Amino acid sequence: KLSMKKMNKALVDLFFELGMQKKVEHAGLKFAGVKHPDTLGEHTCRAAQIGYVLALAEGANAEHVATMCLIHDIGEIRIGDFHRIASRYLKSAEAECKAVFEQTEELPKIHKEHIRELWTEFSDQKTLESQLARDADLLETILQAKEYLDNGYKAASRWLSNGSKFLQSKTAKNLFDEITKTGFADWWDLLNKV
């Protein structure tokens, strides 16, 4: 059993490590010419918000989906963001699993178990909630690619042309269709007309 001091130290160390999500950039969109793409932290925040909305629409546990979205990329703090090309050569799933389990090893039992369970559930893709969390992860990346496309990064269109085949829920597929027809600044233009 961990002492209170060791528990607090392990949690604070994790909090500082989680702060690295604000610094680690997504790697895939660099292939589209984006010099400074969004960070894991930015991605994770919006993915959790999207996951919450998707889950409500699909009748799933919204808090569970959002929490899973918040946890799903923490291993990338240690191994980096593996884009699809890198994954052809490296076993990213194994590396990320090892990273998550090492990240959580010193945590109090309840924290370690819950974080590992969330991450594993997301990775296994066997529950409705994990599938919606994955849809949220993909939709967030697609939204970001659409914003880059609208700002002149033509190669970002690949994320829009391939994105729908990986989405699982009806709601996510419908939202994907709307994303392809909507400019990233449409919401702002509507406010300026009022």
Side-chain angles (χ1 to χ4, degrees):
K1 189 173 177 178
L2 293 174
S3 70
M4 184 62 75
K5 183 174 173 125
K6 283 188 178 188
M7 286 192 313
N8 289 339
K9 172 72 168 128
L11 290 170
V12 169
D13 284 345
L14 178 66
F15 298 158
F16 278 123
E17 184 172 350
L18 291 174
M20 289 300 297
Q21 285 188 306
K22 296 188 291 184
K23 299 170 181 76
V24 177
E25 293 178 339
H26 264 142
L29 282 159
K30 289 187 178 189
F31 286 94
V34 179
K35 289 184 182 179
H36 300 290
D38 65 311
T39 66
L40 292 179
E42 293 164 329
H43 164 72
T44 298
C45 178
R46 186 161 62 171
Q49 294 162 340
I50 294 167
Y52 188 87
V53 171
L54 281 178
L56 290 176
E58 292 284 331
N61 183 327
E63 289 80 8
H64 188 68
V65 172
T67 305
M68 203 179 312
C69 289
L70 290 171
I71 296 299
H72 84 281
D73 275 342
I74 66 170
E76 292 183 14
I77 294 167
R78 294 190 178 190
I79 66 168
D81 178 36
F82 277 51
H83 47 76
R84 289 201 182 277
I85 295 171
S87 294
R88 290 176 60 152
Y89 308 101
L90 303 168
K91 295 180 180 182
S92 60
E94 289 176 21
E96 193 168 351
C97 181
K98 183 177 181 180
V100 170
F101 276 66
E102 284 184 6
Q103 283 172 311
T104 56
E105 185 57 37
E106 299 300 319
L107 295 179
K109 183 178 179 184
I110 191 168
H111 299 91
K112 176 181 5 186
E113 288 176 355
H114 282 279
I115 291 170
R116 287 177 177 181
E117 286 170 8
L118 285 165
W119 187 87
T120 301
E121 181 181 353
F122 179 88
S123 297
D124 289 347
Q125 289 293 287
K126 293 179 181 173
T127 64
L128 173 61
E129 282 77 12
S130 66
Q131 292 163 5
L132 292 170
R134 180 67 177 145
D135 278 357
D137 177 40
L138 293 168
L139 280 177
E140 198 292 320
T141 301
I142 291 164
L143 283 161
Q144 189 63 59
K146 178 66 163 92
E147 182 175 338
Y148 290 137
L149 178 63
D150 288 357
N151 280 296
Y153 294 97
K154 293 178 184 174
S157 66
R158 287 174 174 85
W159 280 262
L160 296 168
S161 62
N162 293 328
S164 66
K165 66 182 177 184
F166 298 107
L167 297 169
Q168 299 176 69
S169 69
K170 182 179 179 180
T171 302
K173 289 176 184 180
N174 289 338
L175 290 170
F176 172 83
D177 290 340
E178 191 61 37
I179 290 166
T180 62
K181 297 182 258 182
T182 303
F184 89 99
D186 283 4
W187 68 273
W188 185 36
D189 290 340
L190 290 171
L191 290 175
N192 285 331
K193 291 178 184 176
V194 176

